[in-house]
């Protein structure tokens, strides 16, 4: 039937258009991330040199400002990487790894990453880590960090007073 053929052709055309759109989106994200990373890496490099005291001495106030520049440019780099990961997840190309990681070190990384948000918002950041947690667990540190930092960033974004609490607890072989 002509209607059936026309419908099939229309569906195939829509599928090809969707695939092309997805390809263009991935290409755009890849190009955009490269273009944004280049100046951000330069900012990171220069702030690192300044904070390392190489050829320049900063007053305590200036050093604090440069530390904030460094923390925020690192945060931007992380956001760019998150966009790329989302693209990989959507296309089914993100692979998780399972390796031993320390929950306590994970929490320290998260604290360093989002601590600047707590300071900026003047919101208390409370961290509780269960003493019963094992020293090492198996997981994908990068993926867990992206999830943890995303959740914490949202918590700080929507908390205007009081505190944000991060608790890691161990119960029945789960954490």
């Amino acid at each position: 039937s002509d209607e059936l053929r026309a419908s099939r052709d229309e569906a195939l055309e829509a599928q090809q258009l969707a695939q092309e759109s997805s390809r263009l989106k991935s290409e755009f994200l890849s190009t955009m991330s490269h273009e944004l990373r280049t100046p951000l890496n330069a900012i990171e490099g220069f702030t690192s040199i300044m904070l390392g005291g190489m050829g320049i001495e900063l007053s305590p106030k200036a050093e604090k400002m440069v530390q904030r520049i460094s923390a925020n440019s690192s945060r931007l780099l992380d956001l760019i990487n998150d966009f790329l990961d989302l693209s990989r997840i959507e296309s089914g190309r993100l692979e998780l790894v399972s390796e031993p990681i320390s929950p306590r070190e994970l929490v320290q990384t998260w604290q360093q990453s989002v601590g600047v948000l707590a300071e900026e918002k003047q919101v208390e950041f409370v961290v509780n880590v269960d003493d019963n947690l094992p020293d090492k667990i198996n997981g994908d540190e990068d993926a867990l960090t992206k999830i943890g930092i995303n959740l914490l960033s949202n918590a700080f974004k929507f908390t205007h007073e009081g505190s944000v609490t991060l608790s890691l607890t161990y119960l029945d072989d789960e954490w």
Side-chain angles (χ1 to χ4, degrees):
S1 108
D2 289 341
E3 278 183 38
L4 193 57
R5 242 181 263 121
S7 292
R8 185 198 66 212
D9 291 347
E10 219 174 277
L12 286 172
E13 191 176 313
Q15 182 182 17
Q16 289 172 341
L17 185 62
Q19 287 172 338
E20 179 64 6
S21 293
S22 180
R23 186 190 68 75
L24 289 172
K25 182 178 95 174
S26 292
E27 196 175 299
F28 169 76
L29 284 173
S30 179
T31 302
M32 178 200 69
S33 71
H34 174 75
E35 294 300 322
L36 290 174
R37 279 185 189 162
T38 302
L40 282 171
N41 281 324
I43 292 168
E44 277 292 291
F46 288 123
T47 56
S48 176
I49 289 169
M50 292 171 77
L51 292 171
M54 294 180 226
I56 185 172
E57 192 172 321
L58 297 172
S59 70
K61 187 176 182 179
E63 184 172 346
K64 208 169 194 137
M65 288 180 198
V66 173
Q67 285 171 341
R68 288 189 101 137
I69 292 168
S70 179
N72 282 298
S73 62
S74 289
R75 188 156 151 61
L76 277 174
L77 279 170
D78 290 342
L79 288 170
I80 291 166
N81 289 330
D82 290 347
F83 281 124
L84 281 178
D85 283 345
L86 281 175
S87 176
R88 287 187 193 113
I89 289 168
E90 286 177 355
S91 66
R93 293 179 297 149
L94 183 70
E95 293 182 24
L96 298 175
V97 296
S98 183
E99 58 191 14
I101 54 176
S102 163
R104 286 162 190 79
E105 289 175 15
L106 201 59
V107 168
Q108 287 175 345
T109 300
W110 298 357
Q111 279 180 285
Q112 291 169 353
S113 250
V114 298
V116 69
L117 298 176
E119 288 175 28
E120 286 174 358
K121 295 279 299 259
Q122 296 180 344
V123 170
E124 185 182 5
F125 187 18
V126 179
V127 178
N128 301 316
V129 179
D130 190 339
D131 289 334
N132 295 322
L133 272 172
D135 289 336
K136 296 284 183 185
I137 58 170
N138 284 329
D140 188 317
E141 187 171 353
D142 289 340
L144 287 170
T145 294
K146 284 181 176 68
I147 293 165
I149 289 176
N150 188 336
L151 291 171
L152 288 167
S153 296
N154 284 335
F156 283 109
K157 182 193 291 185
F158 297 106
T159 302
H160 304 294
E161 58 183 44
S163 65
V164 170
T165 302
L166 167 64
S167 294
L168 263 63
T169 56
Y170 190 67
L171 181 66
D172 299 329
D173 258 1
E174 293 184 1
W175 66 284

